[in-house]
Amino acid sequence: MKTTWSSLTPQEREAHFNPRIAVPSADTYLENAAKAAAAARERLAGDSRFDVRYGSGAKQTVDILKGPSSDQAAPLVLFVHGGYWRALDKDDHTHLALPFVDAGAVFLNLNYDLCPDVSVSTIANEIRAGLIWAAQHAGGYGGDPNRIFLYGHSAGAHLAGMMMAETFPPDTVHTEQVRGVFAISGIYEPEVARTLSVNEEIGLDAAEAARNNVLQRTPRHTWPTLVAAGEAEPSGWVEQSRAFEALLRGHDIPVEFVTAENCNHFSFLEILSESNHPLVTKMLQRLDV
């Protein structure tokens, strides 16, 4: 049944839209992810580059993760982490690169500045700068700038969705350079977060939330998109992904919706590192590697 967030009580909204409340074991998942990410950095260190600057912001760096099988024609996967725009780091997500690197892709693990030090609008501009950097420079690191895939989890999925309505200066990013989007367990209406306790850290006001509402923006790019949500996520959170799917279908953008069996918001940080998981397999197939 569709859950409309505006009709919920404050307590119900927290249960549906605050993942750390919806998943009581969230800290354990995050601790395990950090350990897996550290092991992945050690494994990939020989062929990769870390903390390459793509902008002047304090956290505007990217890890270029690759293996010995990556070549000059490798697809580029640009990953944007989650954390409700105010938490986490690329270094907590390095292990998510492994399936892609093992398949021969180049994985760009993007960092960005966080709220409340910057606004969500500033973060979106940083992701835009990261995409421009990838299109202009990542070819020098063994990737194909004409085969870029945007990939985001949680708030990262929101930021990937923002790019679908973005304009780019001439000779920076051409729409055909981006071949697809992977939007995993996203939150697409910042207005929801503005009503939650987490907004004490994010600092959204009504105008800033409206500026960054993906569901109210007209997509400019028809990038084929895979939208996923977890079977074990609250219905309100899943409805965000369904609404994003509906937006794309309404603009004749190719979109596939995937429900990850038995998966909650934080267990995605486990399954997305597994090459043989059905969701990851679908993403790899889209890369054509």
Side-chain angles (χ1 to χ4, degrees):
M1 183 177 71
K2 181 176 179 178
T3 300
T4 303
W5 66 266
S6 59
S7 67
L8 300 176
T9 67
Q11 293 77 13
E12 290 170 334
R13 273 185 214 153
E14 293 285 342
H16 279 269
F17 295 103
N18 189 335
R20 294 194 185 223
I21 290 177
V23 183
S25 56
D27 286 344
T28 299
Y29 281 112
L30 291 171
E31 290 167 7
N32 291 340
K35 292 175 184 176
R41 279 196 302 282
E42 184 175 347
R43 178 189 146 185
L44 297 172
D47 297 288
S48 301
R49 291 280 304 278
F50 297 91
D51 297 318
V52 176
R53 282 227 151 258
Y54 72 90
S56 60
K59 291 182 174 289
Q60 276 191 272
T61 60
V62 59
D63 293 343
I64 303 159
L65 305 171
K66 53 188 293 191
S69 62
S70 301
D71 58 31
Q72 295 301 315
L76 292 164
V77 180
L78 180 62
F79 178 75
V80 186
H81 72 78
Y84 243 142
W85 308 290
R86 93 310 178 201
L88 303 182
D89 189 274
K90 64 176 173 55
D91 288 354
D92 300 313
H93 297 80
T94 312
H95 57 305
L96 272 57
L98 295 177
F100 298 92
V101 170
D102 288 344
V106 174
F107 193 94
L108 305 177
N109 191 12
L110 200 72
N111 229 22
Y112 53 89
D113 291 296
L114 300 173
C115 300
D117 292 339
V118 300
S119 67
V120 173
S121 292
T122 296
I123 294 172
N125 286 334
E126 292 188 2
I127 305 310
R128 180 175 179 264
L131 180 53
I132 291 172
W133 184 93
Q136 294 183 326
H137 299 287
Y141 296 95
D144 182 352
N146 293 309
R147 282 202 292 164
I148 299 172
F149 293 81
L150 272 173
Y151 175 16
H153 172 249
S154 191
H158 162 269
L159 293 163
M162 289 285 287
M163 295 305 102
M164 296 186 75
E166 190 55 81
T167 58
F168 299 94
D171 300 321
T172 59
V173 176
H174 301 290
T175 189
E176 63 271 14
Q177 288 181 268
V178 180
R179 298 295 186 88
V181 176
F182 308 135
I184 313 299
S185 188
I187 177 78
Y188 301 99
E189 292 181 282
E191 283 89 343
V192 184
R194 198 168 71 86
T195 70
L196 303 175
S197 57
V198 73
N199 196 46
E200 294 177 11
E201 299 172 75
I202 303 170
L204 287 164
D205 60 21
E208 178 69 359
R211 274 192 295 271
N212 292 280
N213 186 335
V214 169
L215 302 184
Q216 297 298 320
R217 291 163 65 91
T218 301
R220 296 174 179 270
H221 311 286
T222 58
W223 300 329
T225 302
L226 187 154
V227 179
E231 182 184 44
E233 294 190 284
S235 59
W237 192 272
V238 173
E239 180 56 31
Q240 288 283 299
S241 290
R242 284 296 189 184
F244 184 48
E245 176 200 18
L247 171 74
L248 300 182
R249 290 196 189 282
H251 288 87
D252 297 321
I253 296 172
V255 59
E256 177 183 6
F257 191 94
V258 177
T259 300
E261 186 176 354
N262 298 322
C263 189
N264 66 52
H265 189 70
F266 293 101
S267 60
F268 271 114
L269 299 179
E270 294 180 351
I271 70 168
L272 291 173
S273 68
E274 301 170 2
S275 297
N276 60 352
H277 190 277
L279 174 58
V280 178
T281 299
K282 282 181 176 290
M283 291 192 282
L284 293 174
Q285 288 171 341
R286 289 179 177 234
L287 264 59
D288 192 25
V289 290

